[in-house]
Amino acid sequence: MKAVAALAAGLLAVACLPASAQSLTWNLTGSAGILDAGDKLIFTKNNVTVTADAWGYTRGSSDNALEAAALGQWNVGMGVVSGTEDPAGVDHQLDNEGPDEWVLFMFSTSVQVTGVTIDPYGVYDRDVTYWVGNVSSNLDLTGKTYADLAALGFGSEIASFSTASESARTVSITSPGGVNAILFGAKRGEFTGDDIDRFKITAISATPLTPVPEPACALLGSLGAFSLLFKRRR
């Protein structure tokens, strides 16, 4: 039994050595269709969970605050339907034709967000705006304005520009380490004509900063504990 315990301890030490930080990518495509306003989609990769929900800057007669919108998921990616938009047309994408639309991504652990891949359904401009931050896990944006985001834990507003195309684009995210959220959408502001930005979100990438236990590590830990317990009972 001493040999078994020693072997378990050795395997545990090797398997549970700290791993270097590794970027993870969550595929956001699927077939959920359009959800009810306020409903969320959850994605898991290597024990790290990303929760997504949709928001529109559509509250009030002047579109002057955030309120829950309907998140949608298709084989191209995720979109948003807000206000009085027609989900059967191009409006099921994230866009800034009229009120702004956003997807809030919340991570289950501290990360550095590295990229978001967008893909227009048609030829559209692909400019984006986003905020990253460390926010409450119970964050509710209802009734909040852009001016409120800093007090909620978000950093500065960041815009990233591109050209009109029907091709996918991976947006490199400027993100400090130690965040758990990103609010991402088409460039802030109400636009018309060729200036409208419109796309779906295909994937999001981030590097977890908190080590995530590997399944093998957890299994060997249990084996080591069992061996120690057996030895004590003898």
Side-chain angles (χ1 to χ4, degrees), residues 1-51:
M1 182 53 64
K2 288 183 178 180
V4 173
L7 177 60
L11 291 173
L12 182 64
V14 172
C16 299
L17 286 173
S20 58
Q22 181 180 9
S23 181
L24 303 177
T25 297
W26 291 263
N27 180 1
L28 307 177
T29 63
S31 57
I34 299 174
L35 309 180
D36 291 334
D39 284 356
K40 303 179 180 183
L41 288 174
I42 299 174
F43 307 86
T44 301
K45 181 95 171 183
N46 288 18
N47 298 320
V48 179
T49 297
V50 181
T51 302

Side-chain angles (χ1 to χ4, degrees), residues 47-69:
N47 298 320
V48 179
T49 297
V50 181
T51 302
D53 60 348
W55 296 87
Y57 208 76
T58 52
R59 190 173 187 181
S61 59
S62 300
D63 297 332
N64 56 6
L66 290 159
E67 64 180 350

Side-chain angles (χ1 to χ4, degrees), residues 76 85-97 101 118-128 160-169 171 186-187 191-201:
V76 177
E85 287 186 327
D86 179 8
V90 296
D91 289 341
H92 65 282
Q93 304 184 78
L94 278 88
D95 63 62
N96 49 16
E97 181 182 17
E101 295 175 338
I118 62 176
D119 194 353
Y121 187 68
V123 179
Y124 294 103
D125 210 358
R126 300 168 298 163
D127 301 335
V128 306
S160 177
F161 301 94
S162 186
T163 57
S165 174
E166 62 180 353
S167 299
R169 174 197 177 201
V171 181
K187 187 178 184 303
F191 295 91
T192 59
D194 293 340
D195 292 328
I196 296 172
D197 300 287
R198 185 175 276 132
F199 51 80
K200 294 178 181 176
I201 303 179

